Every structure is written in C-alpha cells, then in structure tokens.
Amino acid sequence: GGIITQTPKFLIGQEGQKLTLKCQQNFNHDTMYWYRQDSGKGLRLIYYSITENDLQKGDLSEGYDASREKKSSFSLTVTSAQKNEMAVFLCASRKDSNERLFFGHGTKLSVL
Amino acid sequence: DAKTTQPDSMESTEGETVHLPCSHATISGNEYIYWYRQVPLQGPEYVTHGLQQNTTNSMAFLAIASDRKSSTLILPHVSLRDAAVYHCILRVGRQQGTGSKLSFGKGAKLTVSP
C-alpha cells in the first residue's frame, strides 16, 4: 500500500502572503492533482500534472502556482492570500493504468 | 468530462437499503462512471466504478441504465458509518492529457439516522 501526505495540516496566513502547500505520494503514481474545497461545496480542480515537470491548469488556476519537480511530489502556492479566505486544499494521485484516485487528508487554510 | 447531476441530500435510517441517483445525460461512449464518498475532515475515498455493466463490490452495487444516461449507487443495509457526501463523476478511460482532468461537483449528502 501507499500513502499521500499533505503538509502542513493547518496553515494560517496573512492577507497578501505567499503560501506553499506540499504533497508527497509513495504510490509511484504518474498523475497528481490539487483541489480546493470550500465549506459545504464540491471540489474544484486547481492544477494537475500527468508526469514530472508537467503542469496542466484546472478550473480554478488563477491566483495559484504549482510545481512538479519530482514524480513523488506536487506543491501548490497561493500567490497572494485573500483576507478571510478559508478552504481545504486536497491533493490526489493516480497511476494512469489504474483508474482509482487516492486523496490526502487535506490542508486547511485560514487567512487572517 | 461530461457533467453529472445528483440530489443535494438524502436521508435514511440504519439497516435500510439506500439508492443514490446520478444523472449524466450527455455521457460519451468512452466515459466511465465513478463514485467516491467523503466523510468530514477527510479526502474522498473510492467506492466503485463502471462503464456499461452493473458492478458490485464489498461497499456497494452500481446499477447503470441501459442507455448509460443515469446510474444508481445502491448501499445495502446502511450503517452510521455510511453517512458521507457521495460524488458521482465521469472520466474518460485511459487517456493522457486532458483525459486526466477530473472534476467533482457538490455531491449528495447522505444522512443516516439510528
């Protein structure tokens, strides 16, 4: 079995601050995803990556950067945190030959 | 990926069999139907998937309409642990590039009462 680890679990930032969220997976999966989930709402795709050094924009990429420098890791940067913003950011991965998505437990972001 | 439509919420009682509907009227021939569920404070968890034939596993039974425009996730004898948000999504099978883009809607919140 494998695991997806997201760090940090909780992130508190200031308005205008640049914040980075990290995701590591040891499944040796090819494709990784970053989603944003606001309270009581669905998951919105921010970025995904189908292989090392690849980046594809999702539906909500504005205001975010992402980086896939290694196959096992995918990081997300909030370029300028918005005041009173509160959301959970979920990382997921899957191997192209295997259709299941595996998710991490999420990073909960609060902006003061 | 084509969109899906689910009810916002459903209620049930322990021991009942629950039918969770999903409409996907514009599904393409190469799109698979996937179901995930999400409990609070965790990421979604895979439940089952299918293309055309009904499928069953230890978690649920997936019934797919013959025209593939709708499907129903059937949860037999639900317990309190089955309370979750259930997401029905579509995915093009085994394609690189844009086929890897997976989008989730709000899902259907299943409440289970004792």
Side-chain angles (χ1 to χ4, degrees), chain B residues 47 56-61 76:
Chain B
V47 176
T56 188
N57 62 20
S58 60
M59 295 176 78
F61 178 81

Side-chain angles (χ1 to χ4, degrees), chain B residues 60-96:
Chain B
F61 178 81
L62 176 60
I64 301 173
S66 56
D67 64 4
R68 301 206 329 121
K69 294 184 177 182
S70 65
S71 60
T72 303
L73 185 72
I74 300 171
L75 305 174
H77 311 297
V78 293
S79 70
L80 296 177
R81 288 177 299 176
D82 293 313
V85 174
Y86 286 80
H87 297 275
C88 168
I89 68 168
L90 304 181
R91 191 184 79 79
V92 175
R94 304 199 176 192
Q95 272 194 10
Q96 291 278 9

Side-chain angles (χ1 to χ4, degrees), chain A residues 6-7 11 21 34 36 48 57-58 63-64 66 70 85 91:
Chain A
Q6 290 188 237
T7 53
L11 182 57
L21 293 68
W34 274 108
R36 174 184 167 126
Y48 67 103
K57 290 185 178 181
Y64 301 93
K70 291 192 301 184
E85 182 176 8
C91 176

Side-chain angles (χ1 to χ4, degrees), chain A residues 31 33 35 37 40-45 48 50 56-59 90 94 96-105, chain B residues 32 34 36 38 41-46 49 87 89 91 93-106:
Chain A
T31 308
Y33 301 82
Y35 290 91
Q37 187 170 34
K41 296 187 179 177
L43 282 71
R44 290 184 287 174
L45 181 63
Y48 67 103
I50 62 174
Q56 308 278 345
K57 290 185 178 181
D59 302 316
L90 290 161
R94 68 174 180 89
D96 278 338
S97 60
N98 182 331
E99 299 158 329
R100 291 179 58 176
L101 263 182
F102 291 84
F103 281 84
H105 284 278
Chain B
Y32 287 73
Y34 278 78
Y36 288 81
Q38 185 178 19
L41 305 179
Q42 291 189 25
E45 171 193 34
Y46 169 85
H49 76 282
H87 297 275
I89 68 168
R91 191 184 79 79
R94 304 199 176 192
Q95 272 194 10
Q96 291 278 9
T98 56
S100 295
K101 181 178 177 180
L102 295 175
S103 298
F104 285 71
K106 245 180 14 174

